Amino acid sequence: MKISVIGCGYLGAVHAATLASMGHTVVGIDVDSHKVEQLNKALAPFHEPGLDELLGDGRTTGRLVFTSDFSLAAGAQVHFLCVGTPQSKTSDTADLSYLMGATRSLLPHLARGAAVVGKSTVPVGTVEKLRDLLARRSDVLLGWNPEFLRQGTAVKDSLVPDRLVYGVPGGKGAAAGVPVTAVLDAVYEPLVTAGIPRLVCNFATAELIKSASNAYLATKVSFINAMAELCDASGADVSELSEAMGLDPRIGSRYLHAGLGFGGGCLPKDIRSFRAQARDLDVPSVDEWMALVDSVNVDQRSRAVEIAREMCRGFLSGRTVTVLGAAFKPDTDDIRDSPALDVAQQLASAGAHVTVTDPKAINNAWIRYPQIRFEASTKRALEGAELVLLLTEWNEYAHLSPVEVGALVRRRMVLDARNVLDAGAWRAAGWTVRGLGTGAAVAAVPAEKRKHARAKVG
């Protein structure tokens, strides 16, 4: 099939390359000419393991091309909308202007009987707005096919997804007789044949699925981080607590790892959009629940700063601090709403001399945070540090040698805010080690300070 992918950012670039690997002829369209130029050289404009190779395969076979010219979408049987839906600058709602603009630009080039299929994360009711926009083209099919990519594993998530979800007119009961169902089955034929679960639902359900999934994952992360605070207050160990809880099959261990919390371009803005949807639909329980989840997540950053302050004997001003990690999670160079950079900025604002290092995100970070010193070399970043904070759990940081690092720093003090270091080995090498929720920080944040931090977040 000939397929167009509108929007070639994180979602669109991966989706286009995946579809080409399935044998389709794909044209990716994006208004950013520099991005298009990079993609046509088989170079991803962001770090994502395996994507450059997938792009290269598509270019080699001739099945994948990128352009800024919407007219090249003409003749495609399916058009996937993969543009960004960022949080509005003036509210918690999703900004749909890019999605609507892309659809308007696509309209003149839609062949008779073509399918327009959305993949972006959107609030309930978005499909109805698109239906209104396409009202003059009654021959055009409309579907919704939410994405479930995780940064760092997006290529695998596309090639071997957990599930396929189709939002179609009439939902599950009408699926067999709805043409867009057959179109999507043809697009994903290799995955359907391989037995990947395929769920068909109505538009409202398809619109909610990604947001609801992210809301649940965020809830799980914030829950275990709330337990981490309880563990610090009581002397318990959250790592042992989460391990025991995770063995219960009703709970499971995934996303039950305490640490600095979540960030990035999806979970934070999606749960805020989810809250806005709940308010619009007059469901206050969801709004209040997500508000607490968001608050607990942000509070973890303040707790890390307060523990760092205590480790520096109450004074951050003038201290030389090294932060390991700038990306919001490992295996990506995305710094959007990065907990690591938030903490680094708070430390710098308190007067600390902060140096941040990261394997992939330095170039993105130094432009956004000019008040912070960035260093590409981990070794140089650690030299002379009085306190080290591990804030993004890159594999190379988790496996640093405490002896080798100890020879570089001025004071052997480390705050492992992701709880990934072998604390016993580091202590044996003469380090003072703190984590979040490991029971070792009972005295780090007095009750009054914890209450004050929460009040500031609220």
Side-chain angles (χ1 to χ4, degrees):
M1 300 175 72
K2 180 180 179 180
I3 298 173
S4 82
V5 173
I6 314 302
C8 297
Y10 180 80
L11 164 61
V14 175
H15 190 54
T18 301
L19 292 173
S21 75
M22 293 180 185
H24 301 296
T25 299
V26 183
V27 54
I29 300 175
D30 197 284
V31 295
D32 186 335
S33 58
H34 177 66
K35 186 189 297 181
V36 166
E37 183 181 355
Q38 279 188 278
L39 289 167
N40 275 327
K41 293 178 181 177
L43 297 174
F46 47 82
H47 176 69
E48 181 59 41
L51 181 54
D52 283 349
E53 291 80 1
L54 206 60
L55 290 168
D57 290 345
R59 297 295 293 154
T60 299
T61 61
R63 289 196 293 262
L64 180 62
V65 66
F66 295 91
T67 180
S68 293
D69 185 354
F70 271 83
S71 70
L72 293 188
Q77 297 155 274
V78 186
H79 305 270
F80 283 102
L81 302 174
C82 297
V83 298
T85 53
Q87 184 175 327
S88 169
K89 294 180 180 179
T90 58
S91 69
D92 287 341
T93 59
D95 181 356
L96 299 178
S97 61
Y98 301 105
L99 181 68
M100 296 302 170
T103 307
R104 290 189 188 95
S105 297
L106 183 62
L107 261 172
H109 310 292
L110 291 174
R112 183 171 182 79
V116 175
V117 181
K119 289 196 71 68
S120 307
T121 303
V122 296
V124 173
T126 300
V127 175
E128 292 307 313
K129 294 178 181 179
L130 287 176
R131 202 200 299 266
D132 291 342
L133 203 58
L134 296 168
R136 289 174 295 170
R137 293 296 306 273
S138 57
D139 60 299
V140 171
L141 308 178
L142 186 58
W144 208 259
N145 174 221
E147 58 88 10
F148 302 100
L149 306 187
R150 297 165 296 170
Q151 286 174 266
T153 59
V155 170
K156 176 180 177 294
D157 293 341
S158 296
L159 295 173
V160 192
D162 294 325
R163 72 281 205 196
L164 296 168
V165 174
Y166 303 168
V168 305
K172 184 177 181 179
V178 175
V180 75
T181 304
V183 170
L184 287 170
D185 277 344
V187 170
Y188 294 119
E189 190 272 335
L191 303 181
V192 174
T193 301
I196 300 298
R198 165 187 169 280
L199 297 90
V200 182
C201 54
N202 62 23
F203 286 138
T205 305
E207 290 169 317
L208 272 175
I209 285 172
K210 177 64 183 296
S211 295
S213 296
N214 279 353
Y216 180 77
L217 295 176
T219 297
K220 204 168 181 181
V221 172
S222 284
F223 173 82
I224 199 61
N225 283 337
M227 293 303 101
E229 186 172 6
L230 190 63
C231 287
D232 277 341
S234 64
D237 189 315
V238 75
S239 298
E240 297 170 2
L241 179 77
S242 62
E243 182 180 7
M245 289 178 62
L247 292 173
D248 186 329
R250 298 169 301 174
I251 298 172
S253 60
R254 296 185 69 183
Y255 281 77
L256 206 63
H257 183 83
L260 195 56
F262 57 82
C266 290
L267 256 64
K269 68 104 175 171
D270 285 354
I271 65 173
R272 289 162 196 161
S273 174
F274 204 47
R275 288 186 61 193
Q277 294 176 64
R279 288 194 295 270
D280 289 344
L281 295 168
D282 195 24
V283 186
S285 58
V286 173
D287 180 19
E288 293 163 8
W289 184 359
M290 288 297 102
L292 180 58
V293 168
D294 200 7
S295 176
V296 169
N297 186 60
V298 175
D299 192 32
Q300 283 297 95
R301 305 174 188 188
S302 300
R303 284 191 354 101
V305 172
E306 290 306 315
I307 294 173
R309 190 189 309 277
E310 192 275 340
M311 294 178 76
C312 291
R313 301 171 187 170
F315 298 97
L316 286 167
S317 183
R319 298 293 189 182
T320 302
V321 178
T322 297
V323 169
L324 301 178
F328 85 92
K329 62 179 285 189
D331 294 320
T332 182
D333 59 357
D334 195 341
I335 62 166
R336 289 176 294 175
D337 201 2
S338 166
L341 287 175
D342 190 346
V343 170
Q345 187 171 35
Q346 290 187 51
L347 294 171
S349 297
H353 301 302
V354 181
T355 299
V356 178
T357 187
D358 190 279
K360 297 294 180 181
I362 291 297
N363 288 340
N364 289 340
W366 75 267
I367 298 172
R368 292 278 302 277
Y369 295 84
Q371 71 276 40
I372 297 174
R373 176 175 176 262
F374 291 94
E375 174 57 68
S377 165
T378 304
K379 179 179 178 181
R380 286 196 295 270
L382 287 164
E383 289 175 350
E386 297 174 81
L387 175 64
V388 177
L389 287 83
L390 195 162
L391 303 186
T392 306
E393 64 274 32
W394 287 92
N395 190 57
E396 60 197 75
Y397 296 155
H399 293 93
L400 284 170
S401 164
V403 175
E404 293 177 6
V405 175
L408 299 170
V409 300
R410 190 181 309 167
R411 295 179 66 209
R412 297 190 177 194
M413 305 276 287
V414 61
L415 170 56
D416 176 14
R418 295 295 182 178
N419 295 336
V420 295
L421 296 178
D422 182 343
W426 282 71
R427 290 191 178 106
W431 286 78
T432 297
V433 182
R434 289 278 181 82
L436 295 180
T438 60
V442 177
V445 187
E448 287 305 312
K449 284 191 176 181
R450 289 199 297 271
K451 290 177 184 176
H452 180 61
R454 281 192 293 270
K456 287 192 293 183
V457 170

